[in-house]
Amino acid sequence: METKSLEVPKRQRLLLVPCPYQGHINPMLHLATFLHQNGFAITVAHTFFNSLNPHHHPDFTFLRLNDRLSDDLVTSSDVASVLLAINHNCRAGLEEALAAAVGDIVCVIHDELMYFCEAVASGFGVRSMVVRTTTAAACISRLAVLQLQAENRLPLLHGSIEDEVPNLHPLRFKDLPFSAFSETSKMAQIILNIYTITTSSAVIWNTIPWLEPSELTQIKAKFCKKVPIFPIAPIHKISPISSSSSLLNEDSTCLPWLHKQPPNSVIYVSLGSIALLTNQQLLEMAWGLANSKQPFLWVVRPGSVQGSGGTEFVSKEFQEKVGDRGCIVEWAPQKEVLGHRAVGGFWSHCGWNSTLESLSEGVPMLCRPYSGDQKVNSRYISCVWRVGLALEGHELKRKEVEMGIRKLMVEEEGRRMRERAMDFKRRIEDCLREDGSSSLHLKELVDFVMSF
Ligand SMILES: O=c1ccn([C@@H]2O[C@H](COP(=O)(O)OP(=O)(O)O[C@H]3O[C@H](CO)[C@@H](O)[C@H](O)[C@H]3O)[C@@H](O)[C@H]2O)c(=O)[nH]1
């Protein structure tokens, strides 16, 4: 008797290339998990710098790209130089990998900051798609900086930094995403490379059309007339990934502490994975938190304080003032924290992942941006979406910190922001329902890639 073998259809293989920083690794791994769940085989290319642990992601194949970064560069905190070097040095490794896998990989999906991938893929006749991990508004404002540079108007005179940028309401010159007042050449080079990409098949965007409708329309009209855009935010909600994608260990001991706090009473403080503080800023934060009388959960990342080991500011006096009201960790399970009923506010650097994670849980924000797109996000949070307030002073002062926390956590203004944030949470949940915009764009994305 003849037996027919049941042939399992071969999965199409996609090569995903995250940029090796936490705020970029997380969205790419969520996307990888979603695509794997929807029938694709996944290879993740990662660098030696901030490399991932393949054992934590058994469904994926891993490819390690030799970034040839010097120890000095790795420890320098000079993100622009690291990115330029990675884009230069990883090219050969990716070329080798694609040459060996001709016919196997149907598409390279890369972070916008890993722009070298597009040229390499195109050289092998392989399609590529870009993942944008910031907003369309940030994209437009980066282009505005390039325009200023082309017009020889940089560095800007300090007198004009409070003025609104023409046609970019409500952004002021000081909100523009990389320092428009100092040396911009390295970041400008990176941004120029990102936006001169021409052969991508599509853009996958961690944003939602109703969050920034006119900004997305502008981008579509200017740059993406021929290629589709898939706005699929919030990417962290589309497919859960293991917490082991974290480059630092999450300290879950803060959760039992959170369980003991009253609803909406705790301000969660975290400045993401890159921002650096001076010792003085740390002290002002510490005393502002202490004097606010609110319970707080504070992430002080190792290495985030220049010239200090981290939590040595916790003096006897500070401890006596704060007692059990404060909990300090080196890295938190942030999404769980933001979803906890005790958390009523988020003091954030306004990285885009943190912003989306906060909006998704209906938590209003106290904004203190540091660099890049964070200043744009802060302006949108406080002036467009009105779900947070900005700590604006040039120098961080404990009195302003204390007043900002009180305003957000206990005053009427904060209560109204919390209501609006809760409304955002509901609208975001709608996007993720079966007929919601993000779900529909994700389905379109799967169909689009299947057609390759
Ligand atoms: O204790 C912590 C602190 C952070 N996170 C996670 O780390 C990520 C941080 O991402 P993000 O908030 O975007 O901040 P950065 O790490 O600073 O991200 C970089 O990348 C973002 C996306 O491109 C940009 O918006 C930022 O400006 C840029 O600094 C988030 O998913 C957080 O949930 C934790 O899990 N635990």
Side-chain angles (χ1 to χ4, degrees):
M1 197 176 75
E2 202 182 54
T3 54
K4 271 194 185 164
S5 68
L6 282 175
E7 242 180 63
V8 181
K10 194 169 175 248
R11 285 171 171 242
Q12 284 175 298
R13 181 165 293 279
L14 309 174
L15 176 64
L16 273 67
V17 192
C19 168
Y21 287 99
Q22 192 71 69
H24 295 257
I25 291 169
N26 289 0
M28 193 62 93
L29 287 179
H30 280 290
L31 181 66
T33 306
F34 169 81
L35 291 167
H36 183 265
Q37 285 167 349
N38 281 272
F40 296 97
I42 303 293
T43 299
V44 176
H46 61 144
T47 50
F48 283 27
F49 171 61
N50 282 346
S51 64
L52 301 168
N53 185 340
H55 298 298
H56 292 158
H57 309 280
D59 291 332
F60 308 154
T61 303
F62 279 81
L63 166 70
R64 208 147 172 246
L65 299 173
N66 187 350
D67 50 45
R68 303 204 312 275
L69 298 186
S70 65
D71 291 345
D72 283 352
L73 194 49
V74 166
T75 50
S76 69
S77 314
D78 179 353
V79 177
S81 296
V82 168
L83 290 174
L84 284 171
I86 284 178
N87 274 281
H88 182 264
N89 298 348
C90 290
R91 220 186 150 101
L94 188 65
E95 279 171 349
E96 224 173 89
L98 283 186
V102 169
D104 186 26
I105 289 167
V106 296
C107 184
V108 175
I109 300 180
H110 64 92
D111 190 292
E112 62 179 0
L113 295 176
M114 305 294 269
Y115 49 81
F116 76 98
C117 297
E118 183 234 11
V120 174
S122 155
F124 282 89
V126 175
R127 289 178 185 256
S128 66
M129 299 203 285
V130 186
V131 176
R132 297 216 193 285
T133 58
T134 58
T135 58
C139 175
I140 290 172
S141 48
R142 283 166 171 174
L143 294 166
V145 179
L146 290 187
Q147 183 67 29
L148 287 171
Q149 199 181 41
E151 292 165 3
N152 272 333
R153 290 172 62 196
L154 295 182
L156 282 176
L157 297 175
H158 270 268
S160 57
I161 62 171
E162 296 289 342
D163 295 347
E164 264 196 18
V165 185
N167 305 320
L168 287 192
H169 174 75
L171 297 179
R172 301 155 301 185
F173 282 99
K174 70 176 185 183
D175 302 316
L176 289 175
F178 51 100
S179 181
F181 321 109
S182 58
E183 180 53 57
T184 57
S185 62
K186 281 185 194 159
M187 269 327 275
Q189 197 182 327
I190 292 169
I191 300 303
L192 203 59
N193 284 329
I194 291 178
Y195 297 122
T196 46
I197 280 182
T198 51
T199 61
S200 288
S201 297
V203 180
I204 302 169
W205 214 314
N206 194 17
T207 188
I208 306 175
W210 59 257
L211 271 178
E212 40 172 6
S214 65
E215 291 78 357
L216 264 177
T217 307
Q218 260 189 68
I219 292 284
K220 272 185 197 159
K222 267 193 189 156
F223 302 101
C224 299
K225 278 196 195 121
K226 294 192 194 124
V227 297
I229 295 182
F230 299 102
I232 58 164
I235 226 168
H236 71 279
K237 289 275 187 188
I238 65 174
S239 289
I241 52 171
S242 82
S243 59
S244 46
S245 71
S246 230
L247 296 169
L248 295 168
N249 285 332
E250 290 178 354
D251 183 348
S252 295
T253 57
C254 56
L255 296 175
W257 176 86
L258 267 185
H259 298 333
K260 287 189 228 143
Q261 311 305 320
N264 286 336
S265 66
V266 174
I267 178 145
Y268 169 61
V269 187
S270 162
L271 307 178
S273 64
I274 300 176
L276 293 176
L277 295 172
T278 61
N279 252 315
Q280 190 55 38
Q281 288 168 331
L282 190 80
L283 273 178
E284 298 301 315
M285 281 179 87
W287 282 102
L289 284 163
N291 297 338
S292 76
K293 302 192 178 65
Q294 284 300 121
F296 61 86
L297 168 55
W298 185 8
V299 177
V300 184
R301 204 182 72 243
S304 64
V305 187
Q306 289 154 340
S308 140
T311 50
E312 64 220 31
F313 67 90
V314 184
S315 60
K316 198 162 168 258
E317 194 192 351
F318 176 82
Q319 265 170 340
E320 274 168 11
K321 172 115 190 167
V322 168
D324 286 344
R325 185 161 55 77
C327 176
I328 299 176
V329 294
E330 292 193 338
W331 194 250
Q334 178 163 305
K335 294 180 208 73
E336 214 174 325
V337 166
L338 287 169
H340 197 287
R341 63 173 194 25
V343 173
F346 181 12
W347 175 349
S348 173
H349 71 311
C350 307
W352 186 233
N353 295 287
S354 292
T355 304
L356 278 175
E357 289 160 15
S358 203
L359 294 177
S360 302
E361 301 302 339
V363 177
M365 279 165 272
L366 188 60
C367 306
R368 179 75 186 176
Y370 287 83
S371 58
D373 63 311
Q374 297 157 19
K375 291 177 279 176
V376 177
N377 300 339
S378 166
R379 194 71 176 153
Y380 272 67
I381 291 165
S382 52
C383 294
V384 180
W385 305 321
R386 300 191 301 132
V387 289
L389 44 103
L391 279 176
E392 288 258 289
H394 183 61
E395 304 267 334
L396 195 60
K397 294 268 183 251
R398 62 192 68 185
K399 191 70 198 163
E400 286 160 34
V401 170
E402 177 192 336
M403 280 161 45
I405 294 173
R406 303 280 316 156
K407 211 182 251 183
L408 185 75
M409 301 302 291
V410 291
E411 291 179 12
E412 178 57 20
E413 198 177 334
R415 197 189 56 74
R416 283 201 298 270
M417 284 176 195
R418 189 160 304 111
E419 272 175 17
R420 282 194 286 272
M422 282 309 288
D423 194 43
F424 271 68
K425 175 182 157 97
R426 284 186 282 273
R427 292 183 72 184
I428 289 174
E429 282 165 358
D430 287 345
C431 289
L432 296 165
R433 286 188 214 294
E434 215 184 328
D435 58 348
S437 72
S438 297
S439 301
L440 293 175
H441 286 128
L442 282 163
K443 276 187 207 139
E444 283 169 22
L445 172 66
V446 169
D447 292 343
F448 184 70
V449 186
M450 285 281 182
S451 72
F452 291 172

